[in-house]
């Protein structure tokens, strides 16, 4: 599989995942806000931001490049760290496990971008 194709696949899967997570976070904000210790409006805003980010990632997937993959890789690494950090303040074990699971998923997408970057670099040589 070429680096461009692998990069496109990685970014599009990431974009779809972000869309689903963002919609879920926004839709469940009234139920989850107290569990994460944030006002419901803030949780809805976070969900909306993730939905918007999914659009950016999908747009970047149209022309996967080293820069695009590095940008999304950096964002995923940062998001995984933030989610792991936030999980330490979770009000319940269920919230903790959910946040850790999402952090692990996001880290997995970062890993797929590393693989795509390596493949893309190999295609250029």
């Amino acid at each position: 599989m070429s680096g461009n194709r692998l990069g496109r696949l990685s970014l599009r899967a990431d974009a779809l995942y972000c869309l689903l997570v963002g919609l879920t976070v926004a839709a469940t904000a009234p139920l989850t806000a107290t569990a994460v210790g944030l006002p419901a409006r803030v949780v809805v805003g976070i969900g909306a931001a993730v939905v918007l980010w999914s659009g950016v990632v999908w747009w970047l997937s149209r022309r996967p490049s080293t820069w695009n993959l590095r940008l999304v890789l950096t964002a995923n690494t940062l998001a995984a760290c933030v989610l792991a950090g936030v999980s330490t303040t979770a009000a319940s074990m269920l919230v903790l496990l959910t946040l850790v699971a999402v952090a692990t998923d996001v880290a997995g997408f970062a890993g797929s971008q590393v693989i795509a970057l390596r493949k893309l670099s190999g295609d250029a040589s």
Side-chain angles (χ1 to χ4, degrees):
M1 182 179 291
S2 75
N4 275 339
R5 189 169 178 206
L6 188 59
R8 184 174 295 112
L9 179 63
S10 170
L11 293 173
R12 288 193 173 170
D14 197 334
L16 291 173
Y17 181 81
C18 287
L19 177 64
L20 293 173
V21 168
L23 290 172
T24 301
V25 167
T28 61
L31 303 171
T32 60
T34 55
V36 293
L38 294 170
R41 284 187 217 171
V42 172
V43 177
V44 169
I46 292 168
V50 173
V51 168
L52 290 173
W53 174 248
S54 75
V56 170
V57 175
W58 187 268
W59 182 75
L60 292 172
S61 77
R62 295 176 61 196
R63 290 185 163 242
S65 67
T66 301
W67 190 89
N68 292 353
L69 286 162
R70 284 189 179 142
L71 173 67
V72 177
L73 167 62
T74 301
N76 281 336
T77 302
L78 180 62
C81 291
V82 167
L83 286 164
V86 168
S87 71
T88 64
T89 64
S92 72
M93 185 57 77
L94 179 60
V95 173
L96 168 73
L97 294 174
T98 301
L99 289 170
V100 169
V102 173
T104 303
D105 290 344
V106 172
F109 282 113
S112 76
Q113 277 113 34
V114 168
I115 293 167
L117 276 167
R118 287 185 180 157
K119 183 72 174 165
L120 196 59
S121 296
D123 287 351
S125 353

